[in-house]
C-alpha cells in the first residue's frame, strides 16, 4: 500500500515529555565534564581507561598495567567444564577482534589465561567467579561452570583494541556474584514467529548480559508453536493464521495468505541444548485456560463455545477458554507430559492470565462441572485446574509457575507467581509464602515504546524509557524482611503483537535489556543510573562487534519547537532521551564533536534546518537527525506531534498499516478506545480549511469486558465524517467533511474540512472520525492548516 513512513519528513515531537528529559539532560551536563569511574573503586593514574562493564560487578579493584592478548596467548583449562568455557571465550573473542587464542596444555599462568573450576570457591555462591588480570597472566576461577562462564563474559567485556590494534585487558581484580537467581527474558513466538536461528541470537545476547532464564511463550490465541506428536492438529491448524486486512491477502492471486510457524521437538531440543551451553534455562509456557483460541481451533472439543474458531488475527483479550472436562485436563497433561522431557529445567509455566469467564458462566456443562468439583466461582474452577496441573508437574519433579491471576483463587503452596499487573500480586504472593518473579508491565514490558521519536517501530505506549527500566526494584520496600527470599528475581517480557521483524524485536529489547541485566545481577547498593549511562556507549560497541541490533532512538536527538507564524520564527528545544550531550549545526553540515553544544532552546528564523546528534567521549552515538522549520512545517502536524484527546483514555497504540504484504508500512499513533487527536494552540489566523491525510487500518482488537468502553461517535452520513472542534472535543464544531467509503490505492485519503467561519487566535483543535467502520478504522496521519 504505502511507504509514507519512510518518506515522511523529520518530525517534531510532543513537548511535555521532552521538557522533562531536557531538564535531566542539563542536569547531567554539570557532571559530564568530569566523568566518574565506571565503578566506585578509584583507579590508579597509570591504569588502563576505566572499565565499562555491564552488568556492573559486585567488586572491582583496579591494578597496575595491562595484559596483552594475542593469538599466541595460551588458554589453560583443566577438565571438560573449564575447557568448554575457554573455547567459548576464544570463539566470542574472535567474533569481536581478529584474535583467536587456542587451548594449550600446562598449568603455569605466566603469559596465559587460565580457566579453573575450583571447588574451594563453591562457598562464594552459585554463578559467582573471581577474575584476576595482571600483566603477567590472567586467572578466571569459579565454583561452578556457570560462574566460570560469567567470568569469561566479563573478561570478554574487558578486552579492548588499542590504537595499534593490539587487544589488551586492564589489570583488575573482580569478585562477582549475582543478586538474583532468576534473571529472565520472555520471548513470544505466538504472535509473530521467530526462527531457530533468531532464538539462538537472543540466547547469545542473553548470555553476554549474564541472564539465565528464557521464558518461551509457546502458545496463544494467534498460534500454537510447538510440535505435540499426540495432537498434530495443534500445529497443522493452530500453527497458522491469516493476518488481518491486506496483510492476509496474497497480492498475486487475491487468495488468503497464511502466516505459519512452529518448532519441531528436535528444534526444541536443539534450542534448549544451545541455551544450556550458555547457562540459560528455558522455561516453556503452555497458556490455559485463556489465550487458547489456536488450540481450540485445532480441537474444537477442547473449547467452551459452539462457535467455530480459527487462530486469531486479532490482538487483545479473547473470551475463548478451554472447557473444564476431565478429558481437557488430560489433554493438558498429555501436552505437558510430552514437553517435560524436552525441558530439563525446574519450572513449567501454565499461563493463567486474562481468562475472562463469560463462556464458563454461560455454559451449563461448566456450571455442572463446578458443582462436581466443589468450585463456588469460575475462578475456583480455574484454580482446580491449576492445582491438578501442579500435582502433575510435581509428580514429574517440576514446579509450576503462572501469571499473577492464579492468585485470585486458592493456589497450591508450591506455585510460583509471575507478577505482571504491577508488583502487588508479587507482594501478596510473597507474603503468602510463594516464590515470585517480578515482571510488571509498568516497567519491564519491552514491547512498550522507549522514546517519543517518530522512528520508533509499532508498539504499546505508555513509554518505558531506559531510566524507568533501570530503576525498577524487584524487592518491594513494603515486603517484610523474612519474606524477601521469595523474590526469585525479575524478567523482561517482549510481546510481539506489533513486532513483525527481528530487527524491530532487537530494537525494542536492546539496550533496555542491559538495564534489566544490571538490576538482576548487580548488588542494589552498587546500582547507579548515571554510571550505567556512561558505560552504555561501550556496550553499544560490543553490540556492533557481536552483531546485536539495538535501538538507535535513545541515542538520537529529539526536537520540539514553539513557532510563531506571523513573526516567521521558532524556538527549538533539543534533547537526547538519555541525557547525552547534544551538538548541532544550522548550515546543513554534519554535527561533529566541535559543533555548537546545545545548552538552551535555539531561536531560529524561517526557513531553517538544524542537524543534531548526541555525543559521548567525542563520538556521535547515532546518525544525526535533521529538523526543518519553514512555512509549510508550521502549518502541519503529524499524528506523533499531536496530543491525544484528554478523554481518549487508555491504550494509545503505535499501529502499523496492513499493507504492503511485505516491506515497509506506515505507522500511526492512535488511541483505540476513542481515536481522537488534539492540536493544542493551533493558530487559526487566516485559516480557511483543515486538510487531513487519513489512513485506514484493520480494527483488529478483542477488548473483552472493556468492549463497551469503545466509543463510536454517531455518523451523520453514509460513511461518517471527519469532525473538527475548537476548544477541545467539548467545544464548538468548526468544520466537518464526509468521509469516502474507502481510501485510495495507496491506503490514504486527503479530506479537506472548510471552516464554517474565520477564527482568530490560537485554539485547541479536536480532530476525530465519526461512525463505526469496523472491521477497519480511520487513523490520522497528518493535519494541515490551509490559508485563505
Ligand atoms: C500478560 O501480559 N497478559 C501476562
Amino acid at each position: 500500500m504505502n511507504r509514507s513512513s519512510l518518506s515522511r519528513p523529520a518530525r517534531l515531537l510532543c513537548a511535555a515529555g521532552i521538557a522533562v528529559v531536557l531538564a535531566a539532560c542539563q542536569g547531567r551536563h554539570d557532571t559530564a565534564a568530569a566523568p566518574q569511574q565506571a565503578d566506585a573503586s578509584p583507579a590508579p593514574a597509570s591504569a588502563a581507561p576505566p572499565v565499562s562493564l555491564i552488568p556492573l560487578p559486585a567488586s572491582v579493584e583496579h591494578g597496575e598495567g595491562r595484559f596483552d592478548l594475542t593469538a599466541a596467548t595460551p588458554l589453560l583449562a583443566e577438565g571438560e567444564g573449564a575447557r568448554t568455557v575457554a573455547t567459548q571465550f576464544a570463539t566470542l573473542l574472535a567474533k569481536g577482534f581478529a584474535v583467536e587464542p587456542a587451548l594449550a596444555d600446562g598449568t603455569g599462568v605466566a603469559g596465559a589465561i587460565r580457566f579453573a573450576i575450583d571447588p574451594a570457591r563453591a562457598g562464594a555462591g552459585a554463578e559467582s567467579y573471581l577474575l584476576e588480570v595482571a600483566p603477567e597472566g590472567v586467572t578466571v576461577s569459579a565454583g561452578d561452570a556457570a560462574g566460570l562462564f560469567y567470568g569469561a563474559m566479563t573478561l570478554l567485556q574487558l578486552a579492548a583494541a588499542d590504537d595499534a590494534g593490539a587487544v589488551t585487558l586492564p589489570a583488575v581484580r573482580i569478585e562477582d556474584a549475582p543478586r538474583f537467581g532468576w534473571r529472565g527474558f520472555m520471548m513470544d513466538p505466538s504472535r509473530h514467529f521467530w526462527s531457530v536461528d533468531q532464538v539462538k541470537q537472543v540466547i547469545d545476547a542473553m548470555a553476554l548480559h549474564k541472564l539465565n532464564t528464557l521464558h518461551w511463550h509457546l502458545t496463544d490465541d494467534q498460534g500454537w508453536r510447538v510440535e505435540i506428536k499426540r495432537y498434530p492438529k495443534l500445529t497443522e491448524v493452530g500453527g497458522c493464521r491469516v493476518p488481518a486486512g491486506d496483510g492476509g491477502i496474497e497480492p498475486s492471486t487475491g487468495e488468503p495468505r497464511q502466516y505459519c510457524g512452529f518448532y519441531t521437538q528436535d528444534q526444541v531440543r536443539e534450542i534448549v541444548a544451545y541455551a544450556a551451553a550458555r547457562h540459560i534455562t528455558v522455561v516453556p509456557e503452555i497458556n490455559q485456560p485463556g489465550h487458547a483460541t489456536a488450540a481450540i481451533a485445532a480441537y474444537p472439543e477442547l473449547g467452551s463455545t459452539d462457535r467455530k474458531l480459527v487462530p486469531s488475527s486479532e490482538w487483545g483479550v479473547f473470551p475463548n477458554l478451554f472447557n473444564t472436562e476431565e478429558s481437557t485436563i488430560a489433554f493438558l497433561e498429555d501436552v505437558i507430559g510430552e514437553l517435560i522431557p524436552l525441558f530439563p529445567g525446574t519450572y513449567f509455566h501454565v499461563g493463567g492470565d486474562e481468562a475472562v469467564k463469560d463462556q464458563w458462566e454461560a455454559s451449563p456443562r461448566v456450571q455442572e462441572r463446578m458443582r462436581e468439583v466443589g468450585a463456588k466461582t469460575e475462578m475456583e474452577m480455574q484454580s482446580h485446574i491449576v492445582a491438578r496441573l501442579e500435582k502433575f508437574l510435581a509428580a514429574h519433579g517440576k514446579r509450576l509457575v503462572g501469571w499473577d491471576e492464579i492468585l485470585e483463587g486458592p493456589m497450591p503452596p508450591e506455585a510460583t507467581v509471575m507478577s505482571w499487573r504491577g508488583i502487588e500480586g508479587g507482594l501478596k504472593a510473597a507474603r503468602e509464602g510463594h516464590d515470585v518473579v517480578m515482571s510488571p508491565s509498568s516497567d519491564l514490558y519491552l514491547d512498550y515504546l522507549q522514546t517519543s521519536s517518530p522512528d520508533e517501530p509499532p508498539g504499546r505506549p505508555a513509554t518505558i524509557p531506559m531510566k524507568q527500566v533501570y530503576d525498577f526494584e524487584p524487592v518491594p520496600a513494603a515486603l517484610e524482611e523474612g519474606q524477601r527470599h521469595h523474590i526469585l528475581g525479575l524478567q523482561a517480557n517482549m510481546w510481539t503483537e506489533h513486532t513483525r521483524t527481528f530487527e524491530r524485536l532487537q530494537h525494542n529489547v536492546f539496550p533496555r535489556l542491559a538495564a534489566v541485566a544490571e538490576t538482576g545481577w548487580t548488588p542494589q547498593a552498587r546500582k547507579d543510573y548515571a554510571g550505567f549511562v556512561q558505560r552504555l556507549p561501550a556496550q553499544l560497541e560490543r553490540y556492533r562487534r557481536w552483531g546485536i541490533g539495538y535501538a538507535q532512538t535513545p541515542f538520537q536527538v529529539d526536537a520540539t519547537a514553539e513557532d510563531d507564524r506571523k513573526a516567521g520564527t521558532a524556538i527549538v528545544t533539543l534533547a537526547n532521551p538519555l541525557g547525552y550531550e547534544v551538538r548541532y549545526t544550522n548550515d546543513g553540515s554534519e554535527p561533529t564533536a566541535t559543533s555548537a553544544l546545545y545548552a538552551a532552546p535555539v531561536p531560529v528564523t524561517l526557513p531553517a534546518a538544524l542537524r543534531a546528534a548526541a555525543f559521548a567521549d567525542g563520538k556521535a552515538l547515532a546518525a544525526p537527525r535533521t529538523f526543518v522549520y519553514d512555512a509549510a512545517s508550521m502549518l502541519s502536524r503529524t499524528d506523533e506531534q499531536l496530543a491525544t484527546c484528554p478523554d481518549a483514555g487508555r491504550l494509545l497504540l503505535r499501529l502499523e498499516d496492513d499493507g504492503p504484504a511485505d516491506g515497509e508500512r506506515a505507522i500511526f499513533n492512535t488511541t483505540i478506545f476513542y481515536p481522537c487527536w488534539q492540536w493544542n494552540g493551533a493558530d487559526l489566523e487566516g485559516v480557511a480549511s483543515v486538510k487531513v491525510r487519513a489512513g485506514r487500518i484493520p480494527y483488529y482488537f478483542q477488548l473483552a469486558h472493556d468492549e463497551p468502553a469503545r466509543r463510536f461517535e454517531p455518523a451523520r452520513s453514509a460513511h461518517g465524517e471527519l469532525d473538527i472542534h475548537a476548544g477541545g472535543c467539548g467545544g464548538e464544531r468548526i468544520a466537518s467533511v464526509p468521509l469516502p467509503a474507502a481510501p485510495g490505492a495507496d491506503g490514504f485519503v486527503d479530506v479537506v474540512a472548510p471552516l464554517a467561519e474565520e477564527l482568530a487566535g490560537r485554539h485547541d483543535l479536536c480532530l476525530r472520525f465519526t461512525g463505526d467502520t469496523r472491521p477497519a478504522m480511520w487513523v490520522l496521519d497528518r493535519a494541515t492548516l490551509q490559508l485563505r
Side-chain angles (χ1 to χ4, degrees), residues 8 315 449 456-461 497-498 504 639-640 651-658 665-672 697-701 777 779:
R8 291 173 184 192
W315 317 125
L449 303 181
E456 289 297 341
R460 298 197 280 180
E497 285 95 330
H498 307 293
R504 287 178 176 177
D639 50 323
E640 291 98 349
L651 234 50
L652 171 65
L653 296 174
R654 188 156 167 76
L655 294 171
E656 193 175 49
D657 212 336
D658 56 337
R665 300 174 180 174
I667 305 171
F668 308 90
N669 281 7
T670 185
T671 42
I672 63 166
I697 62 175
Y699 181 85
Y700 45 17
F701 308 101
M777 68 188 282
V779 282

Side-chain angles (χ1 to χ4, degrees), residues 346-673:
T346 306
Y347 290 92
F348 201 108
H349 202 301
V350 298
D353 59 321
E354 298 180 317
V356 291
K357 304 294 189 305
D358 303 11
Q359 290 183 349
W360 284 5
E361 284 165 12
S363 160
R365 177 60 194 146
V366 170
Q367 296 297 316
E368 187 182 331
R369 278 287 290 156
M370 284 168 59
R371 283 190 292 278
E372 273 170 33
V373 304
K376 289 190 280 303
T377 63
E378 285 73 22
M379 195 61 223
E380 283 188 20
M381 187 69 228
Q382 178 170 342
S383 297
H384 171 80
I385 299 173
V386 169
R388 289 283 299 276
L389 297 181
E390 195 281 328
K391 267 203 189 66
F392 181 82
L393 286 165
H396 291 80
K398 300 285 173 191
R399 296 194 63 171
L400 176 146
V401 51
W403 299 111
D404 59 44
E405 283 90 337
I406 66 172
L407 269 169
E408 289 169 14
M411 201 171 62
E414 303 79 6
T416 296
V417 170
M418 193 165 270
S419 188
W420 75 276
R421 296 175 300 176
I423 60 166
E424 289 71 25
L427 177 61
K428 177 172 185 285
R431 284 184 165 150
E432 290 175 8
H434 296 279
D435 285 347
V436 169
V437 176
M438 288 293 191
S439 62
S441 58
S442 50
D443 301 275
L444 297 182
Y445 271 29
L446 300 185
D447 55 324
Y448 283 45
L449 303 181
Q450 54 196 308
T451 73
S452 50
S453 167
D455 294 337
E456 289 297 341
R460 298 197 280 180
T463 303
I464 305 184
M466 179 71 85
K467 185 166 187 332
Q468 192 173 337
V469 177
Y470 190 87
D471 284 347
F472 173 69
E473 169 49 39
V475 181
L479 184 59
E480 294 71 21
E481 199 62 43
Q483 305 291 356
R484 293 188 166 200
H485 66 279
H486 284 303
I487 308 296
L488 302 182
L490 80 167
Q491 179 174 294
N493 296 338
M494 180 61 212
W495 302 103
T496 60
E497 285 95 330
H498 307 293
T499 305
R500 211 162 38 97
T501 69
F502 192 61
E503 290 67 31
R504 287 178 176 177
L505 182 136
Q506 290 182 312
H507 173 109
N508 277 33
V509 173
F510 304 106
R512 282 186 295 182
L513 197 61
V516 176
E518 187 142 307
T519 304
W521 184 278
T522 303
Q524 192 183 3
R526 293 265 292 159
K527 277 189 67 189
D528 161 26
Y529 179 67
F532 175 78
V533 169
Q534 271 192 312
R535 283 176 278 129
L536 258 187
Q539 186 78 351
L540 302 188
E541 200 170 318
R542 292 178 198 122
Y543 288 168
R544 292 191 287 272
R545 215 183 286 148
W546 295 331
I548 297 172
Y550 64 90
Q552 302 293 317
T553 46
F555 305 99
Q556 293 180 323
V557 173
D558 296 330
T560 52
E562 271 181 37
D563 50 26
D564 183 334
R565 188 148 50 86
K566 276 193 222 82
T569 58
I571 297 173
V572 183
T573 298
L574 300 175
N576 167 262
L578 299 183
Y580 292 105
E581 73 177 29
V582 170
R583 292 181 182 270
Y584 67 96
T585 64
N586 57 12
D587 61 1
S589 65
E590 178 139 344
T592 68
T594 55
S595 299
L597 176 66
Y598 177 82
V602 182
V604 297
T605 303
L606 274 53
L610 297 185
R611 297 192 77 193
F615 286 80
D617 297 328
K619 290 197 194 109
L621 293 166
R625 286 183 66 202
T626 304
F627 306 97
V628 175
Y629 304 98
D630 57 18
S633 74
M634 285 196 173
L635 291 167
S636 196
R637 294 289 185 271
T638 66
D639 50 323
E640 291 98 349
Q641 292 169 301
L642 297 174
T644 52
C645 301
D647 54 353
R650 301 163 301 146
L651 234 50
L652 171 65
L653 296 174
R654 188 156 167 76
L655 294 171
E656 193 175 49
D657 212 336
D658 56 337
D662 299 303
E664 295 294 332
R665 300 174 180 174
I667 305 171
F668 308 90
N669 281 7
T670 185
T671 42
I672 63 166
F673 277 86

Side-chain angles (χ1 to χ4, degrees), residues 772-784:
D772 178 352
T773 52
R774 286 177 294 179
M777 68 188 282
W778 291 108
V779 282
L780 186 147
D781 181 56
R782 176 178 286 278
T784 304

